[in-house]
Amino acid sequence: PLMHPGRACLDCHSKSLEPEVQSYLQIGGTVYDFGHDPDDCYGIDGAADPVTVEITDAMNTVFNLPVGPSGNFLLTIEDPPVTFPIAARVRRGDAVRSMGSMQSTGDCNLCHTEAGMNGAPGRIVAP
């Protein structure tokens, strides 16, 4: 949960030499206070200021992923399986920030980079 905030979680894990690490994550990413923070910069401290990433999958199953002290959130293979595509939103108290489109990958930081890729405006930002 503290590893490399901002970097593409599933992509990095897939390159591990350990099979259990390669397939450990279903979904992973980092929530920030600002939209263009660099890689390996801690995001929002979700332990001090509770923030949750809410994922709704194609079967309408809702997964509430707590954001940790580095800003990272994750869903592992130890959790129930997610069915893609997914909808995502970030909650902080009563405030919500939702993604505009369904996603076919759980590697959130793959597009939510410092500059943004594939239509993402930059980092995942808490409301």
Side-chain angles (χ1 to χ4, degrees), residues 61-85:
T61 302
V62 177
F63 301 86
N64 288 298
L65 311 180
V67 175
S70 67
N72 288 343
F73 60 91
L74 51 95
L75 183 72
T76 72
I77 59 170
E78 296 167 351
D79 296 305
V82 65
T83 304
F84 291 91

Side-chain angles (χ1 to χ4, degrees), residues 28-43:
T30 311
V31 178
Y32 286 92
D33 276 316
F34 305 102
H36 302 286
D37 285 341
D39 286 343
D40 292 321
C41 177
Y42 275 8

Side-chain angles (χ1 to χ4, degrees), residues 5-25:
R7 295 194 183 265
C9 309
L10 278 71
D11 181 62
C12 186
H13 275 251
S14 73
K15 295 173 182 164
S16 172
L17 298 177
E18 301 174 46
E20 64 276 3
V21 173
Q22 290 176 357
S23 60
Y24 184 67
L25 295 176

